Amino acid sequence: MRIGELADAAGTTAKTLRFYEDQGLLPPAGRTPSGYRNYTAETIARIDFIHRGQAAGLTLAQIQQILHIRDHGQAPCSHVRDLLDARLTDIDQQLRQLHDLRDTLAGLRDQAETVEPDTCSSDQVCRYL
């Protein structure tokens, strides 16, 4: 199938597919006699995998590592597990930081419960921040 047909089938754009190919996420497509890219139906499954990896928060570099392992005939399960563990650790840290930020904002909001513009000195923009 040509690149436009593949893009439609995979729910993406031809530009994205060219990018994936340039980055090594997709193997180079075969070419028709007139030079058009000619993809196989199996490429859709690979693009679906790339999209699922992105939805899980993996980077394209990490997805490329997984694909490289699979392309060399090995199951990437342990590597994927390690990447997911690292992603969970990152998310847990982000959640802690967001919770701390929320506490800070709630405290600032509590201080600003009663708006008193007359209490701000001229060298302050707003005393609540």
Side-chain angles (χ1 to χ4, degrees):
M1 76 183 79
R2 300 247 173 100
I3 195 165
E5 296 167 323
L6 177 62
D8 288 343
T12 191
T13 65
K15 183 178 180 179
T16 297
L17 296 176
R18 286 186 202 97
F19 176 77
Y20 287 169
E21 191 173 321
D22 290 343
Q23 297 300 307
L25 294 161
L26 295 178
R31 297 286 181 153
T32 65
S34 57
Y36 291 105
R37 287 177 170 87
N38 192 22
Y39 294 94
T40 64
E42 292 81 32
T43 308
I44 295 172
R46 193 169 177 109
I47 295 166
D48 287 343
F49 174 79
I50 293 167
H51 290 167
R52 288 192 314 274
Q54 288 178 306
L58 299 179
T59 66
L60 288 179
Q62 292 168 325
I63 294 167
Q64 185 179 32
Q65 291 171 353
I66 297 165
L67 291 169
H68 181 77
I69 292 168
R70 172 53 74 193
D71 290 344
H72 283 85
Q74 298 175 340
C77 301
S78 296
H79 185 70
V80 169
R81 183 199 58 228
D82 293 344
L83 289 173
L84 294 174
D85 282 344
R87 186 70 183 121
L88 284 168
T89 299
D90 290 344
I91 288 172
D92 288 341
Q93 180 181 0
Q94 289 172 347
L95 288 171
R96 282 190 297 277
Q97 290 171 341
L98 284 171
H99 182 74
D100 292 346
L101 175 60
R102 191 199 183 292
D103 287 348
T104 299
L105 289 174
L108 291 171
R109 175 59 178 87
D110 288 346
Q111 293 174 20
E113 185 62 36
T114 305
V115 178
E116 300 174 16
D118 296 339
T119 62
C120 290
S121 66
S122 60
D123 62 334
Q124 291 178 313
V125 174
C126 179
R127 70 183 183 105
Y128 302 119
L129 292 179

